Amino acid sequence: MLFRRRHDPKRPARWRGVLHLLGPGLITGASDDDPSGIATYSQAGAQFGFGMGWVMLFSWPLMAAIQEISARIGRVTGKGIAANLREHYPLLLLRSIVGLLLVANIINLGADLGAMGDALRLIIGGSTGVYVVAFAVLCAWLEIFLSYERYVRVLKWLTLSLFTYVATVLVVEVPWHEVLYRTLVPGWVWQQDYVVVIVAVLGTTISPYLFFWQASEEAEDERVNPAEHPLTEAPEEARSQIRRIEIDTYVGMGLSNLIALCIIVTTAATLHRHGITDIQTSEEAAQALRPIAGEFAFAIFACGIVGTGLLAIPVLAGSAAYAVAEAMQWTYGLGRRPREAKAFYGTIAIGTLIGVAINFIHIDPIKALFWTAVINGVVAVPLMIVMMIMTMQPKVMGQFTLPRPLWVMGWLSTAVMALAVATMFATWSG
């Protein structure tokens, strides 16, 4: 006699409930593993092997804390970070931060588009330039013309592309006992290159555009749902919303750092062990994997570059558009139709167009990412300090100022980022 599992009518509802908890935090975390980030993690694994694994474990709670703080700003006030800066702080501070964010995002967007075009060319041949244009048009069209609810579902599905790197690490030979040891037990190397790579990894995982995106998406989710309100207006919603933010953020950032760890382990187990220690782009990492790990690992790695780029491009363009629109007091929001928020959607389109142009004027992608890192460093620390001050002020957050544990983790994250940026400038000036 065959026994069949009893049908549980609550099972689909339970899964839908879990998926409902995951939104801005999941998408934000996944977008952090963009093609430029993949290049950074690949360099870390290729240059220092498994010895970089501990950085991802160390940075997870720091990254999650500052992203949860960003999310709370959006959900509590019903406004993004730029709108709050405009309301409570000098315009010079707002314009400086938003201007630098815009420049860094567009450079990063252009570098990611180029990496996606190169990756697709490696897989199927053809012209990188044609693919760059096609990816840009696809990303911009979906972001501008798809309804907000459908677009969020698209972004959630695109997070699955990150699991290509789980597949990659599973098809290469990995000494897992060594990986576990090196991840749990930091092994500091007192040399300049090691410090530089740690700074690069921290700068990739804790980045200003992620702060703006998650805060704005929390506010956007509240605006498009008539049953939800800013927590300053509806404190009875606070318990469930803050709990959702915590789950969403820690899962999203955990996934982000897990995938980064998979990339480090993959390149450490293959490139580093074969003496390939200098990887400058995600394309070089994929290409180098081909003769060592085989065609399958190469193809999966390259496909992951395309998939993660499709998620990162709209987040980079969207976070810049939210920041500019909030600063300029335009009508804005992905929940609005294009004719209702022309300047907002125009910023997305123009930013993406400039990103495309970067790939046709022969700017060195390595130098472009170098300056992106510099600009992000200039923006990140003062922005984090202002966010920490802002979230402890009742005039901004009402009764929802930060609880003490989150306040401590937020300042610790800020201090670590300040140290990383100071080290970056000290190293490069030397």
Side-chain angles (χ1 to χ4, degrees):
M1 181 178 179
L2 296 175
F3 292 91
R4 292 184 299 177
R5 177 184 293 178
R6 190 187 337 183
H7 175 66
D8 182 359
K10 295 182 179 180
R11 186 178 299 273
R14 189 180 300 126
W15 274 108
R16 282 196 296 270
V18 171
L19 291 175
H20 180 70
L21 294 174
L22 303 178
L26 175 67
I27 294 168
T28 302
S31 69
D32 189 38
D33 292 323
D34 67 327
S36 300
I38 292 167
T40 300
Y41 303 134
S42 298
Q43 176 61 30
Q47 191 169 359
F48 295 103
F50 304 118
M52 278 287 165
W54 68 270
V55 181
M56 304 321 303
L57 184 63
F58 170 76
S59 64
W60 174 45
L62 303 179
M63 180 188 185
I66 202 67
Q67 289 302 142
E68 182 186 343
I69 290 167
S70 303
R72 283 177 179 246
I73 291 173
R75 180 58 64 163
V76 169
T77 67
K79 305 169 188 173
I81 291 173
N84 278 288
L85 286 175
R86 183 181 181 91
E87 186 172 339
H88 300 287
Y89 295 93
L91 281 177
L92 179 61
L93 176 65
L94 169 71
R95 289 169 179 167
S96 299
I97 288 176
V98 171
L100 290 171
L101 175 82
L102 184 63
V103 172
N105 279 22
I106 290 175
I107 295 173
N108 203 340
L109 191 155
D112 284 353
L113 282 172
M116 294 163 68
D118 287 334
L120 190 57
R121 175 180 53 78
L122 290 177
I123 299 169
I124 64 174
S127 168
T128 295
V130 171
Y131 298 145
V132 165
V133 173
F135 284 135
V137 170
L138 175 63
C139 291
W141 189 90
L142 290 174
E143 193 163 19
I144 294 171
F145 294 106
L146 214 58
S147 70
Y148 181 70
E149 292 80 3
R150 292 180 65 187
Y151 189 60
V152 168
R153 286 198 293 271
V154 168
L155 293 179
K156 284 185 179 181
W157 279 109
L158 282 172
T159 62
L160 295 176
S161 63
L162 270 66
F163 287 96
T164 54
Y165 294 107
V166 177
T168 304
V169 81
L170 292 177
V171 299
V172 300
E173 187 176 343
V174 176
W176 289 108
H177 62 284
E178 183 179 354
V179 172
L180 182 63
Y181 177 79
R182 293 297 190 92
T183 302
L184 296 177
V185 181
W188 188 270
V189 178
W190 290 103
Q191 64 182 71
Q192 183 178 2
D193 289 347
Y194 188 80
V195 175
V196 168
V197 171
I198 289 177
V199 169
V201 169
L202 288 174
T204 299
T205 55
I206 302 175
S207 190
Y209 80 89
L210 303 175
F211 312 160
F212 280 88
W213 173 262
Q214 190 165 355
S216 293
E217 285 313 287
E218 284 290 342
E220 189 76 56
D221 282 356
E222 175 268 312
R223 279 195 297 270
V224 301
N225 189 339
E228 296 179 359
H229 312 83
L231 298 187
T232 51
E233 299 176 8
E236 68 277 4
E237 298 175 15
R239 184 174 181 180
S240 61
Q241 290 295 344
I242 289 176
R243 182 60 178 158
R244 176 195 57 77
I245 286 172
E246 290 172 345
I247 294 171
D248 183 26
T249 302
Y250 277 84
V251 169
M253 304 312 133
L255 175 63
S256 174
N257 281 26
L258 174 64
I259 299 307
L261 179 61
C262 287
I263 296 168
I264 290 173
V265 170
T266 297
T267 51
T270 53
L271 307 186
H272 180 76
R273 294 211 160 182
H274 285 78
I276 301 173
T277 59
D278 186 16
I279 296 295
Q280 297 294 329
T281 65
S282 53
E283 177 200 7
E284 287 184 17
Q287 191 77 290
L289 275 174
R290 182 177 244 157
I292 297 171
E295 288 290 332
F296 184 62
F298 152 76
I300 295 175
F301 196 95
C303 286
I305 295 170
V306 174
T308 58
L310 289 172
L311 179 60
I313 294 301
V315 172
L316 285 161
S319 63
Y322 272 112
V324 172
E326 290 170 8
M328 300 297 293
Q329 295 184 302
W330 295 337
T331 300
Y332 62 89
L334 294 175
R336 301 183 188 276
R337 296 175 181 174
R339 65 174 178 271
E340 298 172 331
K342 294 178 182 178
F344 170 75
Y345 285 112
T347 304
I348 291 175
I350 293 170
T352 305
L353 182 64
I354 297 173
V356 171
I358 287 173
N359 288 276
F360 290 92
I361 56 178
H362 307 296
I363 292 178
D364 185 338
I366 308 306
K367 289 184 179 179
L369 289 178
F370 169 87
W371 284 110
T372 299
V374 172
I375 295 170
N376 277 331
V378 170
V379 174
V381 177
L383 177 59
M384 291 168 77
I385 292 172
V386 172
M387 286 168 57
M388 291 305 302
I389 295 171
M390 181 192 301
T391 47
M392 292 305 293
Q393 293 183 329
K395 69 176 183 179
V396 180
M397 302 291 285
Q399 61 182 293
F400 301 106
T401 53
L402 298 184
R404 185 62 60 180
L406 185 57
W407 178 84
V408 171
M409 286 301 299
W411 276 115
L412 180 59
S413 179
T414 304
V416 168
M417 195 61 190
L419 179 62
V421 171
T423 304
M424 173 182 72
F425 283 115
T427 302
W428 286 333
S429 64

